[in-house]
Amino acid sequence: MKALEMLNGLGPTSPLGSPSSWPAGLQTLVATVLQAPLQVILFWGTDYIALYNDAYAATIGDKHPSAFGQPASFHWRELWHDLEPLLAQVRETGNPVLMKDRPFAIERQGLPENVTFDISFSPVPGEAGAAAGVLCIVNETTERTAYEQRIRESEIRFRNMADSAPVMMWVVDETGYCTYLNLRWYAFTGQTAEQAEGYGWLEAMHPDDKERASSVFLQALASKQPFRLEYRLRRADGVYRWAIDAAEPRFTPDGVFVGYIGSVIDIDDRFEIEQKLRQSEADLRAITHSIDQMIWATRPDGFHDFYNDRWYEYTGVPYGSTDGAGWNDMFHPDDQERAWAIWQESLSSGKPYHIEYRLKHRSGEYRWVIGRANAVRGPDGEILRWYGTCTDIHELKTAELHRSALVAFQEKVADLDDPVDVAYAASQMLGDALKVDRVGYGTIDIEAETVLIDRDWTAETVESLKGVRHLRHYGSFVDDLKRGETVVFEDAERDPRTRDKAANLAAISARSIVNIPIREQSGLVALLFINSAKPRHWTEEELRFIRDVAELTRQAVERRRAEAELRHLTQTLEEQVLQRTEELRRSEEQLRQSQKMEAVGQLTGGIAHDFNNNLAVIIGGLSLLQRRLKRGETHDLERLIVGATEGAQRAATLTQRLLAFSRQQPLSPESVDGNRMVAGMNDLLVRSLGEHIRIETVLAAGLWKTRADVSQLENAILNLAVNARDAMPDGGRLTIETANAHVDDAYAGEHDIGAGQYVLIAVTDTGTGMTSDVIARAFDPFFTTKVVGKGTGLGLSQVFGFVRQTGGHIKIYSEPGQGTTVKIYLRRFYGEDAPPTIAVVEPQAPRGTGERIFVVEDDDRVRFFTVETLRELGYSVTYAASGPEALSVFEAGHRFDLLFTDIVMPEMNGRRLADKALELQPGLKVVFATGYTSNAVVHNGIVDPGTNFLQKPFTIDQVARKLRDVLDATA
C-alpha cells in the first residue's frame, strides 16, 4: 500500500489524530517526506510516531504497512534498545547525528538480520521551538559492507595460498603499483618488501630487457588485456636466468578494473632447447611458405595453429582467422559435418586423414580439394603434431561428377517413354547437381514468342512456371535465343537485356538465368532454362555441363516423341474408330447443348409470370386513372402514374435480360482496362452488398486489355456479386481477381471456344456453394434456387448471354459449403484505345426548335406515342406507317432534318428505307429504333459503326437527348 494512501487513511483513532488536525508545519513536513526520492522516515513526538515515504517502506519489509503512523517502540522493538538512545540524543540535544555503515540487528521478514546503514538523524523543531521529532535519511549499505568483508577475507586467503605456491606471484593495482609479492619472489631475487613493492621489482630485471618488459606491461595496463612476456631475472646470487611472466586483469563484479595478478616461472633450463626448436620451426615455415601446395599443422588435440601462405592466398581469409576449429567454416555447408566426423575419427585413432570436400575460394566459389594429413609421433608413439595438405582438384572432380550425372541420367531415361518425363528427369538432375531454384524444358512458339512448359523441377519454396509464358515479358534476351545464342546473366538488375523487367524475374525467383536454345532445321523449337533466385556466377564447367545435358535431353525428347507418334500411328483400326466415334458423340452433345441454349433464348413462356405481374400494375393503374378522371377526381393520380411507369420499366428490364441471354442485345464494345474498371466499381459494390460483406480485389500486374461493352460488363460483375451476397446470408468475403490467361487447344475444343489469350475476371465468395446439379442448370433461363418472389432466374443467364455474345467464355467452380468462383474469360484486345468520350449531363430533356422529323413506324400505338412525344418536345413531325409509304414522300420532293424509323417492318425494313432516303436526300440524319435487334444495323450483336440506335422501349428523356445529340452533331 502506498504511503500517501496510508496517510489519508489515518483517522481520529490514530495516535496523531486525523492529518487535517495536525499543525501546518507537520503537514508540510510530512508532504515533503512523502515526495522525497530518498529513503526518509520521521519519528514524531515523545512516542516517536513513524511517518515514512514509499522509498523507505521497502527497507523495513513486512513491518509495512502496519508500522505507518504507529509508535516506533512496538514495530522496532528488536532494536529499540539501540535505536531509542540515538533518537533521544538528537531530540534532547537538538544536535544532528551522522553515521556511516552503522550496524543494526533488525527483523523485517520475520527473521533476524544483521544490516548496516548510512544514516542521518536531524532534529525537527516544534511550534514551541524545541525539537518535536527526528527526521532520518537512511541508505542501506548491507550488501556493500558484506562484499568488502568478503574481499578482506579473500585477500587473506589469497596471500596464504600465494605464499605457499611453487611459483613467484605478484599483484598490482589499477595504476600498475605493485602491492604484493609472495615469499617465493623474495627467496629467488633476494629483494626485501621495501625494495620490491611499488616499482622496485623492475630493478631485478636484466637492464637490456627492462625497457621492452616495461613497454609490454604499460601497454597491457592501458588496454586492460592479459599479457605474457619473457625476460632475464636476477637471482639472489647475481646470476640472470630466463623467466616467463604471465598476468590476467582483475575486475570487480560490476566491471571496474582493479589491476593485475601474475606469476613468474624460471624457464632457463628449457630456454636453449626452445631456441633451437624455434629456429627449426622457422626453417620449416620458410620451406612450407615457398611451395605451391596448401600446408597446415595442428597440435596433438587437433587445434590448427599453422597454415602456409598458399592457404591464405587461396582462401582470401585474414591470417589467423581459421586457427582452432575455424577451418571447418570454410567448407561447403553440405560437407562440414562429414569433414568434421572424419577428422575426429583420425584424432581418436591416429589414422591418416583423407577426404575430398569443397573449400571456399577467395572468389566466393566453392572448389573441390583433397585434404590429407598424417600424425608425427614421438619415441614412445605419442602423437606430437599433425601435418596436412590441401590440393585443388576442382576441374577433375567437377568433370567426374558431371560424367557420373550424365551416365545416371541416360540410365534413368532409358526406362521412360513420355517426353515430359524425360525433360523432367533432366531438370531434376541439373537442379540437384547445380543446387539452383528451378530447371525446366519447354517448347517454343517463335511467332508468339512464348514457351510452353509442361513440367519443371523447382526447389521446395519456389513455384512452378507450368503453362505458357511470354518470353518478352521477362526481357529482350528472346532475340538472342532466336539467333541460337545461349543466354547467361548473373543478375537481372544489372543486365541491360533484363534491367527493366527485373521485377518480373524476381517475382518468379529468376534473378539469375541460363537459357540454352534448342534448334532444329526449322529454327528455335525448345528451351532448357536454369533459374537462381539470387545473383550467381556461372562457371565455364557448369555451362559446359548444362550444354551437354541440353543436347542429350533434346535427343531423348525428340526420340520419345517420334516413338510416341509411331505408336499412335500403329494403333488398331478398332481403337481409332472408337476414338472417332467418341469424338463424334461429344461433338453431337456439344451441338445439342448449343442448340438447347440458343433455343432457350427464344423462349417467352417462362417470363409470363413476371411480365403479367408488371402488366397487372400497368393496366390496373391506368384503369383506376381513367375511372377517376371520368369522375373528376384528382387525388393520388401521381401515385398511379408512377406505379404504371415503374411496371413498364420492370417489363423493359425483363425483356433486355431475355435479349442478353439470347445474345440479341446490341452491344457497343470499346477497349477495357479490367483493373481500372474493377477498382472503379468498389464504391458501387460496397453500397450494393452491405457492410456484412468484405470486398477484396486482387489485380494482376501487366493485365492485358479486352474489348467489351463496359456497361454490360459492369452489370455482369454486379449480377455475380449480388448472387454471391445472397449465398452469404451471415456475411463473408467477396474476392474479385484479374489475371492474364491462355486457353490451349484441348480446353478450347472441350468448351467450344477459340484458343488463345484471354483476360480473366473471377468473382469468388465464401458462401454456401452449389451442387453439381445446380451448376449444370445455373445458366438456364428462369432457373433459380431462391424462394418465390426473390428472383426471376435471368441474372446468370443474362451474364452467360453477354459473355458468349462478346466472344468469351464463362465457367463456374463450386462445392457445397466451400464457396463459389465464377470465371469470365474475355478475348485479349490488341488494338489501340479509342479516345475517351465526355458525357454531358443535361439538367432536363432538351427541346427541339421546330426541326422537321419524319417518323416511320408500322405499329399504330407506338407511332402515335412517338409522334405525340416529338411534338411535345417542340419538333415539326410528319409520319408514315410503312417503308414504301415513307419512300413515296421522299420521292415527292419533301425534305426533312431527321428520319426516325423502326428497323423491323414488313415489305421494307428501316435499313433499306434509310439507304433509299439518303440517295434522295444526301446528308439526311437517321435514328433507328427497335425492340429486337435484327442484322440490319446490328451484326453479331455489335452496333454498326456510325449508327444512331435507340433501344425500345424508351422514355421521353431518352428520345429527347438522342435526337439533340444527332441533330447537333457536325456532319
Side-chain angles (χ1 to χ4, degrees):
M1 183 179 293
K2 299 292 186 180
L4 181 59
E5 297 176 3
M6 297 292 298
L7 179 66
N8 294 333
L10 295 178
T13 60
S14 170
L16 291 178
S18 176
S20 60
S21 64
W22 296 354
L26 178 58
Q27 293 183 24
T28 302
L29 178 60
V30 172
T32 303
V33 167
L34 295 183
Q35 296 178 4
L38 301 177
Q39 301 175 32
V40 182
I41 180 170
L42 173 64
F43 294 102
W44 187 258
T46 57
D47 291 334
Y48 297 108
I49 305 302
L51 301 170
Y52 49 83
N53 62 5
D54 292 331
Y56 182 81
T59 304
I60 60 175
D62 58 9
K63 295 180 184 296
H64 177 75
S66 58
F68 189 87
Q70 300 299 323
S73 59
F74 177 76
H75 291 283
W76 279 267
R77 56 184 177 274
E78 76 275 11
L79 73 160
W80 191 242
H81 67 282
D82 191 12
L83 179 60
E84 192 273 338
L86 294 174
L87 297 175
Q89 175 186 340
V90 174
R91 187 168 179 273
E92 292 171 0
T93 64
N95 297 322
V97 173
L98 176 63
M99 291 178 285
K100 300 288 289 184
D101 298 330
R102 174 66 158 79
F104 289 97
I106 188 173
E107 294 180 5
R108 50 185 175 183
Q109 299 296 339
L111 296 173
E113 296 181 49
N114 292 317
V115 298
T116 59
F117 287 94
D118 288 342
I119 189 165
S120 170
F121 295 99
S122 301
V124 178
E127 293 183 350
V134 179
L135 182 67
C136 299
I137 301 175
V138 302
N139 177 40
E140 185 173 356
T141 62
T142 304
E143 186 174 345
R144 178 176 58 80
T145 56
Y147 173 73
E148 291 174 350
Q149 178 62 26
R150 290 195 299 272
I151 291 294
R152 287 191 291 271
E153 294 173 354
S154 176
E155 186 75 16
I156 293 172
R157 288 194 299 271
F158 168 75
R159 288 177 179 269
N160 291 335
M161 180 185 68
D163 285 338
S164 302
V167 298
M168 293 171 275
M169 299 188 68
W170 53 267
V171 176
V172 300
D173 63 16
E174 69 276 9
T175 67
Y177 188 90
C178 182
T179 60
Y180 169 77
L181 290 154
N182 71 345
L183 296 178
R184 184 73 59 177
W185 172 272
Y186 297 121
F188 184 90
T189 63
Q191 286 185 317
T192 63
E194 290 76 10
Q195 292 173 328
E197 290 184 357
Y199 300 99
W201 59 276
L202 291 168
E203 299 304 319
M205 194 178 297
H206 193 287
D208 294 342
D209 299 337
K210 185 184 300 184
E211 183 177 352
R212 175 177 56 85
S214 299
S215 176
V216 172
F217 174 67
L218 293 175
Q219 288 178 8
L221 188 69
S223 63
K224 304 177 181 58
Q225 295 295 320
F227 70 87
R228 180 187 182 94
L229 61 93
E230 295 179 4
Y231 53 80
R232 286 163 288 183
L233 187 65
R234 186 183 65 236
R235 202 166 56 186
D237 58 5
V239 176
Y240 285 97
R241 293 179 63 83
W242 280 99
I244 184 169
D245 196 339
E248 291 286 336
R250 294 188 300 147
F251 298 93
T252 64
D254 53 358
V256 177
F257 176 66
V258 293
Y260 279 94
I261 180 170
S263 64
V264 181
I265 302 174
D266 181 355
I267 62 169
D268 193 74
D269 292 338
R270 72 170 191 264
F271 185 77
E272 184 176 354
I273 298 175
E274 290 178 349
Q275 284 289 85
K276 293 179 179 179
L277 180 60
R278 279 193 286 269
Q279 183 60 46
S280 177
E281 288 180 349
D283 295 340
L284 177 61
R285 287 174 185 268
I287 294 173
T288 57
H289 288 314
S290 67
I291 63 179
D292 292 333
Q293 205 167 23
M294 290 177 277
I295 297 177
W296 48 271
T298 79
R299 298 190 309 223
D301 61 358
F303 185 95
H304 286 65
D305 57 2
F306 172 77
Y307 295 92
N308 72 344
D309 291 340
R310 298 295 85 72
W311 168 269
Y312 294 108
E313 291 171 2
Y314 187 91
T315 61
V317 299
Y319 277 75
S321 61
T322 51
D323 287 355
W327 56 273
N328 201 40
D329 293 335
M330 299 298 297
F331 291 11
H332 191 285
D334 294 344
D335 298 338
Q336 288 179 8
E337 183 176 351
R338 176 173 57 91
W340 184 258
I342 294 175
W343 176 238
Q344 293 301 311
E345 171 63 20
S346 294
L347 289 177
S348 62
S349 66
K351 296 178 181 178
Y353 175 73
H354 184 280
I355 185 176
E356 294 180 0
Y357 58 88
R358 286 162 290 183
L359 180 65
K360 192 171 186 180
H361 188 258
R362 62 176 178 271
S363 64
E365 297 178 4
Y366 285 97
R367 295 180 63 84
W368 282 99
V369 300
I370 289 180
R372 296 186 179 93
N374 286 285
V376 175
R377 301 177 183 271
D380 58 354
E382 182 181 4
I383 295 176
L384 302 179
R385 285 187 71 76
W386 287 85
Y387 289 95
T389 62
C390 294
T391 305
D392 190 320
I393 58 166
H394 186 72
E395 284 74 19
L396 295 175
K397 183 66 175 180
T398 301
E400 176 187 343
L401 291 174
H402 289 172
R403 283 194 301 270
S404 299
L406 290 174
V407 170
F409 167 67
Q410 291 175 315
E411 292 176 351
K412 183 174 183 178
V413 300
D415 298 326
L416 300 176
D417 295 325
D418 191 338
V420 175
D421 293 338
V422 172
Y424 182 78
S427 301
Q428 186 177 37
M429 185 265 290
L430 278 174
D432 292 336
L434 299 176
K435 305 303 181 186
V436 293
D437 295 288
R438 182 188 297 106
V439 184
Y441 186 94
T443 55
I444 295 289
D445 184 339
I446 195 64
E447 297 297 327
E449 297 185 340
T450 59
V451 56
L452 174 60
I453 304 166
D454 292 316
R455 187 183 182 190
D456 54 2
W457 176 92
T458 63
E460 290 184 0
T461 59
V462 178
E463 66 176 354
S464 171
L465 295 183
K466 182 179 179 181
V468 175
R469 296 282 171 168
H470 200 289
L471 294 171
R472 192 72 66 175
H473 187 61
Y474 302 107
S476 62
F477 58 84
V478 63
D479 299 325
D480 299 335
L481 294 173
K482 290 179 179 179
R483 292 191 293 269
E485 299 173 4
T486 297
V487 174
V488 180
F489 54 81
E490 298 181 3
D491 188 349
E493 292 184 358
R494 294 188 288 110
D495 195 289
R497 297 168 295 180
T498 56
R499 190 179 298 120
D500 60 338
K501 302 294 185 181
N504 295 343
L505 288 164
I508 62 169
S509 303
R511 182 81 176 268
S512 183
I513 276 182
V514 176
N515 286 338
I516 306 295
I518 308 299
R519 296 178 62 84
E520 299 291 347
Q521 292 183 351
S522 60
L524 182 65
V525 296
L527 175 70
L528 176 69
F529 58 89
I530 297 92
N531 298 162
S532 172
K534 297 179 180 179
R536 172 170 175 162
H537 172 68
W538 304 93
T539 65
E540 284 301 319
E541 294 87 357
E542 290 174 334
L543 294 177
R544 281 196 297 269
F545 178 52
I546 295 170
R547 291 188 182 98
D548 291 342
V549 174
E551 178 61 20
L552 288 176
T553 304
R554 182 192 69 81
Q555 295 174 3
V557 167
E558 293 307 316
R559 185 184 304 114
R560 298 306 185 277
R561 285 178 177 167
E563 291 170 353
E565 291 173 359
L566 181 61
R567 285 194 299 272
H568 177 72
L569 292 174
T570 57
Q571 293 292 325
T572 64
L573 179 61
E574 181 181 355
E575 291 174 336
Q576 295 180 33
V577 170
L578 289 174
Q579 180 181 358
R580 295 292 179 85
T581 303
E582 179 62 18
E583 290 176 355
L584 180 60
R585 185 193 63 77
R586 288 199 298 266
S587 297
E588 290 175 347
E589 182 177 341
Q590 291 177 356
L591 178 60
R592 287 194 298 273
Q593 178 67 14
S594 177
Q595 291 172 340
K596 170 187 173 183
M597 298 306 292
E598 292 293 340
V600 168
Q602 305 298 327
L603 295 178
T604 56
I607 201 68
H609 176 268
D610 291 297
F611 206 90
N612 284 333
N613 284 344
N614 292 319
L615 289 177
V617 174
I618 298 169
I619 295 172
L622 293 177
S623 298
L624 287 173
L625 181 63
Q626 184 180 38
R627 293 172 63 87
R628 289 183 181 178
L629 287 175
K630 286 182 179 181
R631 294 197 300 268
E633 299 176 1
T634 59
H635 69 281
D636 280 344
L637 298 184
E638 180 67 23
R639 185 164 63 87
L640 294 175
I641 294 172
V642 169
T645 301
E646 288 180 352
Q649 290 174 344
R650 291 183 179 180
T653 299
L654 291 175
T655 304
Q656 289 177 355
R657 288 184 173 180
L658 280 175
L659 289 173
F661 173 74
S662 62
R663 307 181 214 172
Q664 299 297 324
Q665 180 175 236
L667 303 177
S668 298
E670 57 185 278
S671 174
V672 178
D673 184 332
N675 285 347
R676 183 179 300 173
M677 183 201 70
V678 171
M681 292 183 66
N682 189 67
D683 291 343
L684 173 62
L685 292 171
V686 170
R687 292 193 302 271
S688 301
L689 304 184
E691 296 180 353
H692 68 298
I693 302 298
R694 181 159 57 91
I695 301 173
E696 295 181 358
T697 56
V698 181
L699 306 181
L703 187 69
W704 297 326
K705 297 291 183 65
T706 187
R707 191 166 186 265
D709 188 308
V710 176
S711 62
Q712 293 300 323
L713 180 55
E714 290 177 342
N715 189 50
I717 294 174
L718 183 59
N719 259 323
L720 296 177
V722 170
N723 277 356
R725 177 202 63 191
D726 296 341
M728 299 183 287
D730 298 325
R733 182 177 69 253
L734 176 75
T735 303
I736 302 179
E737 180 179 3
T738 64
N740 296 327
H742 179 86
V743 173
D744 58 24
D745 293 336
Y747 187 88
E750 182 180 352
H751 295 87
D752 191 25
I753 60 174
Q757 295 175 334
Y758 285 78
V759 173
L760 168 65
I761 302 177
V763 179
T764 301
D765 63 62
T766 58
T768 56
M770 304 182 191
T771 64
S772 57
D773 293 341
V774 172
I775 293 175
R777 300 186 60 193
F779 294 130
D780 291 355
F782 318 119
F783 174 76
T784 179
T785 59
K786 301 173 185 177
V787 298
V788 176
K790 292 298 183 180
T792 64
L794 284 173
L796 279 179
S797 63
Q798 180 185 9
V799 175
F800 175 86
F802 159 69
V803 172
R804 297 296 280 186
Q805 186 178 356
T806 306
H809 173 58
I810 185 168
K811 184 70 174 177
I812 298 176
Y813 302 88
S814 182
E815 292 184 14
Q818 301 299 316
T820 299
T821 295
V822 182
K823 293 185 176 181
I824 295 176
Y825 296 83
L826 300 174
R827 277 283 193 178
R828 179 182 179 182
F829 177 57
Y830 294 91
E832 298 293 332
D833 292 345
T837 58
I838 301 175
V840 179
V841 179
E842 297 286 350
Q844 60 183 2
R847 296 182 56 78
T849 56
E851 290 91 339
R852 294 164 299 168
I853 308 297
F854 193 12
V855 175
V856 183
E857 171 62 59
D858 61 318
D859 188 292
D860 295 338
R861 293 170 301 171
V862 176
R863 185 173 64 252
F864 173 80
F865 165 75
T866 303
V867 169
E868 291 302 314
T869 296
L870 297 182
R871 286 173 176 169
E872 176 70 21
L873 290 172
Y875 294 101
S876 173
V877 182
T878 302
Y879 57 86
S882 68
E885 180 183 345
L887 187 59
S888 65
V889 175
F890 281 104
E891 292 173 342
H894 295 282
R895 295 293 179 265
F896 301 93
D897 296 305
L898 183 143
L899 171 62
F900 188 99
T901 178
D902 190 12
I903 295 176
V904 182
M905 295 185 296
E907 299 182 65
M908 179 184 293
N909 64 32
R911 174 78 272 178
R912 288 182 56 199
L913 170 62
D915 292 341
K916 294 289 186 181
L918 285 169
E919 293 176 3
L920 297 171
Q921 184 183 333
L924 175 67
K925 296 183 177 181
V926 182
V927 173
F928 295 99
T930 187
Y932 181 84
T933 61
S934 72
N935 288 330
V937 296
V938 179
H939 294 87
N940 298 319
I942 309 300
V943 178
D944 292 343
T947 301
N948 301 308
F949 183 85
L950 189 62
Q951 177 75 39
K952 293 180 181 179
F954 47 76
T955 65
I956 294 178
D957 286 349
Q958 290 172 335
V959 72
R961 289 190 172 85
K962 174 60 74 173
L963 290 181
R964 280 270 48 100
D965 289 343
V966 175
L967 288 169
D968 295 339
T970 57

Coordinates of all heavy atoms in Angstrom, one line a residue, residues 168-172 201 216-217 220-221 224-231 244-251 257 259-265:
M168 N 56.6 -17.8 -8.4 CA 56.6 -16.4 -7.9 C 55.3 -15.8 -8.3 O 54.9 -15.9 -9.5 CB 57.8 -15.6 -8.5 CG 59.1 -16.1 -7.9 SD 60.5 -15.3 -8.8 CE 60.7 -16.4 -10.2
M169 N 54.6 -15.0 -7.4 CA 53.4 -14.4 -7.7 C 53.4 -13.0 -7.3 O 54.1 -12.6 -6.3 CB 52.2 -15.1 -7.1 CG 52.0 -16.6 -7.5 SD 50.5 -17.3 -6.9 CE 49.3 -16.4 -7.8
W170 N 52.6 -12.1 -8.0 CA 52.6 -10.7 -7.7 C 51.2 -10.1 -8.0 O 50.4 -10.6 -8.7 CB 53.7 -9.9 -8.5 CG 53.6 -10.2 -10.0 CD1 54.3 -11.1 -10.6 CD2 52.8 -9.5 -10.9 NE1 54.1 -11.1 -12.0 CE2 53.1 -10.1 -12.2 CE3 52.0 -8.4 -10.9 CZ2 52.6 -9.6 -13.4 CZ3 51.4 -8.0 -12.1 CH2 51.7 -8.6 -13.3
V171 N 50.9 -8.9 -7.4 CA 49.7 -8.2 -7.6 C 50.0 -6.7 -7.7 O 50.8 -6.2 -6.9 CB 48.7 -8.4 -6.4 CG1 47.4 -7.6 -6.6 CG2 48.3 -9.9 -6.2
V172 N 49.4 -6.1 -8.7 CA 49.5 -4.6 -8.9 C 48.1 -4.0 -8.9 O 47.1 -4.7 -9.2 CB 50.2 -4.2 -10.1 CG1 51.6 -4.8 -10.1 CG2 49.5 -4.7 -11.4
W201 N 60.4 -3.9 -8.2 CA 60.6 -5.2 -8.7 C 61.3 -5.2 -10.1 O 62.0 -6.1 -10.5 CB 59.3 -6.0 -8.8 CG 58.3 -5.3 -9.7 CD1 57.4 -4.3 -9.3 CD2 58.0 -5.5 -11.1 NE1 56.7 -3.9 -10.4 CE2 57.0 -4.7 -11.5 CE3 58.6 -6.4 -12.0 CZ2 56.5 -4.7 -12.7 CZ3 58.1 -6.4 -13.3 CH2 57.1 -5.5 -13.6
V216 N 55.7 -3.6 -22.7 CA 54.6 -4.6 -22.7 C 53.7 -4.4 -21.6 O 52.4 -4.5 -21.7 CB 55.2 -6.0 -22.8 CG1 54.1 -7.0 -22.6 CG2 56.0 -6.2 -24.0
F217 N 54.2 -4.2 -20.4 CA 53.4 -4.1 -19.2 C 52.5 -2.9 -19.2 O 51.3 -2.9 -18.9 CB 54.3 -4.0 -17.9 CG 53.6 -3.7 -16.6 CD1 52.7 -4.7 -16.1 CD2 53.7 -2.5 -16.0 CE1 52.0 -4.4 -15.0 CE2 53.1 -2.3 -14.8 CZ 52.2 -3.2 -14.3
A220 N 49.7 -3.3 -21.8 CA 48.6 -4.1 -21.3 C 47.8 -3.4 -20.2 O 46.6 -3.5 -20.2 CB 49.3 -5.4 -20.7
L221 N 48.5 -2.6 -19.4 CA 47.8 -1.9 -18.4 C 46.8 -0.9 -19.0 O 45.7 -0.7 -18.5 CB 48.8 -1.1 -17.5 CG 48.3 -0.4 -16.2 CD1 47.8 -1.5 -15.2 CD2 49.3 0.4 -15.6
K224 N 44.0 -3.0 -20.5 CA 43.4 -3.9 -19.5 C 43.3 -5.3 -20.1 O 42.3 -6.0 -19.9 CB 42.0 -3.4 -19.1 CG 42.1 -2.0 -18.5 CD 40.7 -1.5 -18.2 CE 40.7 -0.1 -17.6 NZ 41.3 0.9 -18.5
Q225 N 44.3 -5.8 -20.9 CA 44.3 -7.1 -21.5 C 45.3 -8.0 -20.9 O 46.3 -7.5 -20.3 CB 44.6 -6.9 -23.0 CG 43.6 -6.2 -23.8 CD 42.3 -6.9 -23.9 OE1 42.2 -8.1 -24.0 NE2 41.2 -6.1 -23.7
P226 N 45.2 -9.3 -20.9 CA 46.2 -10.2 -20.4 C 47.5 -10.0 -21.2 O 47.5 -9.5 -22.3 CB 45.6 -11.6 -20.7 CG 44.1 -11.4 -20.9 CD 44.0 -10.0 -21.5
F227 N 48.6 -10.3 -20.6 CA 49.9 -10.3 -21.3 C 50.8 -11.4 -20.8 O 50.6 -12.0 -19.8 CB 50.6 -8.9 -21.1 CG 51.1 -8.6 -19.7 CD1 52.4 -9.1 -19.3 CD2 50.3 -8.0 -18.7 CE1 52.8 -8.8 -18.0 CE2 50.8 -7.8 -17.4 CZ 52.1 -8.2 -17.1
R228 N 51.8 -11.6 -21.7 CA 52.8 -12.7 -21.4 C 54.1 -12.3 -22.0 O 54.1 -11.9 -23.2 CB 52.3 -14.0 -22.1 CG 53.2 -15.2 -21.9 CD 52.6 -16.4 -22.8 NE 53.4 -17.6 -22.6 CZ 53.1 -18.6 -21.8 NH1 52.0 -18.5 -21.0 NH2 53.8 -19.7 -21.7
L229 N 55.2 -12.3 -21.3 CA 56.5 -11.9 -21.8 C 57.6 -12.7 -21.1 O 57.4 -13.3 -20.0 CB 56.7 -10.4 -21.6 CG 56.7 -9.9 -20.2 CD1 58.1 -9.8 -19.6 CD2 56.1 -8.5 -20.1
E230 N 58.7 -12.7 -21.8 CA 59.9 -13.4 -21.3 C 61.0 -12.4 -21.1 O 61.2 -11.5 -21.9 CB 60.3 -14.5 -22.2 CG 59.3 -15.7 -22.4 CD 59.8 -16.7 -23.4 OE1 60.9 -16.6 -23.9 OE2 59.0 -17.7 -23.6
Y231 N 61.7 -12.5 -20.0 CA 62.9 -11.7 -19.7 C 63.8 -12.4 -18.8 O 63.5 -13.5 -18.2 CB 62.4 -10.3 -19.1 CG 61.5 -10.5 -17.9 CD1 62.1 -10.7 -16.6 CD2 60.1 -10.3 -17.9 CE1 61.3 -10.9 -15.5 CE2 59.3 -10.5 -16.8 CZ 59.9 -10.7 -15.6 OH 59.1 -10.8 -14.5
I244 N 59.5 -16.6 -17.5 CA 58.3 -16.2 -18.2 C 57.3 -15.6 -17.2 O 57.0 -16.1 -16.2 CB 57.7 -17.4 -18.9 CG1 56.5 -17.0 -19.8 CG2 57.2 -18.5 -18.0 CD1 56.0 -18.0 -20.7
D245 N 56.8 -14.4 -17.6 CA 55.9 -13.6 -16.7 C 54.5 -13.6 -17.4 O 54.4 -13.1 -18.6 CB 56.4 -12.2 -16.5 CG 55.8 -11.5 -15.3 OD1 54.6 -11.9 -15.0 OD2 56.4 -10.6 -14.8
A246 N 53.5 -14.1 -16.8 CA 52.1 -14.0 -17.4 C 51.1 -13.4 -16.4 O 51.3 -13.7 -15.2 CB 51.7 -15.4 -17.8
A247 N 50.2 -12.6 -16.8 CA 49.3 -11.9 -15.9 C 47.9 -11.8 -16.6 O 47.7 -11.8 -17.8 CB 49.8 -10.6 -15.6
E248 N 46.9 -11.8 -15.7 CA 45.5 -11.6 -16.1 C 44.9 -10.4 -15.4 O 45.2 -10.1 -14.2 CB 44.6 -12.8 -15.7 CG 45.0 -14.1 -16.5 CD 44.4 -14.0 -17.9 OE1 43.5 -13.2 -18.2 OE2 45.0 -14.7 -18.8
P249 N 44.1 -9.6 -16.1 CA 43.5 -8.4 -15.4 C 42.4 -8.8 -14.4 O 41.8 -9.9 -14.5 CB 42.9 -7.6 -16.6 CG 42.6 -8.7 -17.6 CD 43.7 -9.7 -17.5
R250 N 42.2 -8.0 -13.4 CA 41.2 -8.2 -12.3 C 40.1 -7.2 -12.4 O 40.4 -6.0 -12.7 CB 41.9 -8.2 -10.9 CG 42.9 -9.3 -10.7 CD 43.3 -9.3 -9.2 NE 43.9 -8.0 -8.8 CZ 43.8 -7.4 -7.6 NH1 43.1 -8.0 -6.7 NH2 44.4 -6.3 -7.4
F251 N 38.9 -7.6 -12.2 CA 37.8 -6.7 -12.3 C 36.8 -7.0 -11.1 O 36.7 -8.1 -10.7 CB 37.0 -6.9 -13.6 CG 37.8 -6.5 -14.9 CD1 38.5 -7.5 -15.5 CD2 37.8 -5.2 -15.3 CE1 39.2 -7.3 -16.7 CE2 38.5 -5.0 -16.5 CZ 39.2 -6.0 -17.2
F257 N 38.0 -2.1 -13.3 CA 39.3 -2.7 -13.4 C 40.1 -2.3 -12.1 O 40.1 -1.1 -11.7 CB 40.0 -2.1 -14.6 CG 41.5 -2.5 -14.7 CD1 41.9 -3.8 -15.0 CD2 42.5 -1.5 -14.6 CE1 43.2 -4.1 -15.1 CE2 43.8 -1.9 -14.7 CZ 44.2 -3.2 -15.0
G259 N 43.4 -3.9 -11.4 CA 44.8 -4.2 -11.5 C 45.0 -5.6 -12.1 O 44.2 -6.2 -12.9
Y260 N 46.2 -6.2 -11.8 CA 46.6 -7.5 -12.4 C 47.1 -8.4 -11.3 O 47.5 -8.0 -10.2 CB 47.8 -7.3 -13.4 CG 47.4 -6.8 -14.7 CD1 47.4 -5.5 -15.1 CD2 47.1 -7.8 -15.7 CE1 47.1 -5.1 -16.3 CE2 46.7 -7.3 -17.0 CZ 46.8 -6.0 -17.3 OH 46.4 -5.6 -18.6
I261 N 47.0 -9.7 -11.5 CA 47.6 -10.7 -10.7 C 48.4 -11.6 -11.7 O 47.9 -12.0 -12.8 CB 46.6 -11.6 -10.0 CG1 47.3 -12.7 -9.1 CG2 45.6 -12.2 -10.9 CD1 46.4 -13.4 -8.2
G262 N 49.7 -11.8 -11.4 CA 50.5 -12.5 -12.3 C 51.5 -13.5 -11.6 O 51.5 -13.6 -10.4
S263 N 52.1 -14.3 -12.5 CA 53.1 -15.3 -12.0 C 54.3 -15.3 -12.8 O 54.3 -14.9 -14.0 CB 52.4 -16.7 -12.0 OG 52.2 -17.1 -13.4
V264 N 55.5 -15.6 -12.2 CA 56.8 -15.7 -12.8 C 57.4 -17.0 -12.6 O 57.4 -17.5 -11.5 CB 57.7 -14.6 -12.2 CG1 59.1 -14.6 -13.0 CG2 57.1 -13.2 -12.3
I265 N 57.8 -17.7 -13.7 CA 58.4 -19.0 -13.7 C 59.8 -19.0 -14.3 O 60.0 -18.5 -15.4 CB 57.5 -20.0 -14.4 CG1 56.0 -20.0 -13.9 CG2 58.0 -21.4 -14.4 CD1 55.0 -20.9 -14.7

